[in-house]
Amino acid sequence: MRVSSLGATVALFVASVTSQRLTKPPLQPDLENLKQGLLNNLHPTHSTTDRFKAGYIPSDCKKIVENEKFNPADIQTWNVHYDDCSAPWIICYHKNSATPLSSLVDRFGRLPVHTRQFVRHVISLPSANGYAYNSGGNIAFFGSTLNNLNVHLHEAAHSLDLLGAYKDKPLSSSANWINNYNKDSAVPDNYAQTNQVENVAQNTVVDSYQRNVPGGFTGLNANANKIFHQYATVDTEQREAGNLLIPGGKCTLRLANSDPVLVNGAALRVTAADKPNVALPAGLLTIAGVDFDTKDSCNATFGA
């Protein structure tokens, strides 16, 4: 599955919506009341871990780490092998991260595999504040926010939206989405008011709850009908794409790993044989990369 024609459209769209705040009122202040139900019903995926080749780091990780003013030498890079995929995820974990690596592996592994496969690398960095953003399919977590399953779902939802997982690409700028948004009288929460990209992501969290937690969101909030057309649109799109928000199955697609580079960049000669092999195994289709960044709008502070 390739979505290469999407790139320029997405980049322009994400840039254009950053300041387009939505005017519909929030249904509730935040989605923290969904967190425990999701945690109870999206179960961990068994995994094993091993260290990435010493001296190397994925180039996307290094770029994000340096852009955030951290030293790549302080990053511990790990391969995380989940039982539901033939290729590991490469995780870049700062040695001073607020929570242990095991928490990141646990929470990320609770994402249904057909959602998780739209994430390339995961980066954990220390911060006094908890927030996260998605850059081209790479999710960067700051502080203790990597403990929050809502945030994992929210950030992965950006990948589903902006990397072309759905029939409507990107969903957040499609006529189908806008038409259904216009049928509702509210948005899920304060954060969803930021713009349509964040609104789709928060509605994805709502639909994940509706789909996976007994009683659903309709049992949690008596006024759920005020946002029905939005989360129902997410649900239709994810179902037609193969039930992306439902646990089970095996990965079928992956974003290609970024090229391994030297942590310190000091070697004069590096041969192909020196580098760790990060090629995807035969049988996995490659999702074409799209250049987008939600850093400017994914700036809400979240707890653990």
Side-chain angles (χ1 to χ4, degrees):
M1 174 181 174
R2 299 192 66 83
V3 292
S4 55
S5 62
L6 196 60
T9 301
V10 169
L12 288 171
F13 169 64
V14 173
S16 70
V17 302
T18 300
S19 61
Q20 294 179 9
R21 190 165 183 84
L22 307 183
T23 57
K24 294 184 190 291
L27 186 63
Q28 49 189 60
D30 54 48
L31 300 183
E32 286 297 288
N33 59 334
L34 280 64
K35 186 166 61 175
Q36 193 59 50
L38 287 166
L39 199 60
N40 291 345
N41 290 278
L42 292 176
H43 303 295
T45 303
H46 181 264
S47 64
T48 59
T49 59
D50 57 75
R51 291 295 292 265
F52 201 62
K53 186 172 182 179
Y56 286 87
I57 185 173
S59 56
D60 282 6
C61 285
K62 186 174 185 180
K63 179 180 178 181
I64 289 171
V65 167
E66 291 182 333
N67 284 348
E68 297 295 340
K69 311 303 181 187
F70 289 98
N71 186 348
D74 292 330
I75 300 297
Q76 301 167 359
T77 307
W78 294 84
N79 297 307
V80 181
H81 306 261
Y82 292 104
D83 287 357
D84 54 15
C85 193
S86 57
W89 275 266
I90 304 172
I91 287 180
C92 302
Y93 178 84
H94 193 281
K95 67 179 185 179
N96 295 328
S97 291
T99 53
L101 175 69
S102 58
S103 294
L104 191 162
V105 173
D106 174 277
R107 297 303 191 267
F108 186 58
R110 290 173 188 259
L111 295 181
V113 67
H114 295 126
T115 292
R116 196 182 337 123
Q117 66 189 6
F118 279 85
V119 177
R120 179 181 286 110
H121 304 308
V122 181
I123 300 99
S124 172
L125 295 170
S127 174
N129 299 314
Y131 63 101
Y133 63 82
N134 188 323
S135 179
N138 301 299
I139 300 177
F141 292 96
F142 296 80
S144 61
T145 194
L146 63 82
N147 274 326
N148 191 328
L149 186 55
N150 285 16
V151 182
H152 283 261
L153 284 164
H154 174 101
E155 296 304 332
H158 288 315
S159 284
L160 298 179
D161 175 19
L162 302 173
L163 288 173
Y166 300 134
K167 176 183 66 177
D168 291 301
K169 311 176 191 298
L171 176 60
S172 50
S173 64
S174 67
N176 183 35
W177 175 257
I178 299 302
N179 288 340
N180 280 284
Y181 166 77
N182 287 335
K183 294 176 183 177
D184 287 339
S185 60
V187 295
D189 68 347
N190 292 330
Y191 194 22
Q193 289 182 306
T194 306
N195 56 47
Q196 289 294 8
V197 170
E198 301 303 334
N199 189 28
V200 164
Q202 289 297 74
N203 273 285
T204 305
V205 178
V206 170
D207 191 51
S208 296
Y209 193 97
Q210 178 71 9
R211 273 287 192 162
N212 294 297
V213 179
F217 187 72
T218 51
L220 190 68
N221 191 308
N223 294 311
N225 62 302
K226 292 184 178 181
I227 62 168
F228 168 77
H229 294 91
Q230 292 164 86
Y231 73 78
T233 300
V234 171
D235 191 65
T236 298
E237 295 270 349
Q238 70 85 24
R239 179 166 39 81
E240 291 180 349
N243 282 320
L244 304 183
L245 299 179
I246 309 302
K250 300 281 187 179
C251 69
T252 56
L253 314 165
R254 286 289 298 273
L255 286 162
N257 292 308
S258 64
D259 190 46
V261 295
L262 289 165
V263 169
N264 58 20
L268 296 177
R269 286 186 56 200
V270 178
T271 67
D274 293 326
K275 288 186 176 185
N277 180 9
V278 297
L280 298 177
L284 281 183
L285 300 178
T286 303
I287 303 165
V290 174
D291 185 20
F292 68 87
D293 196 314
T294 68
K295 183 177 180 179
D296 288 341
S297 59
C298 276
N299 53 13
T301 299
F302 297 95

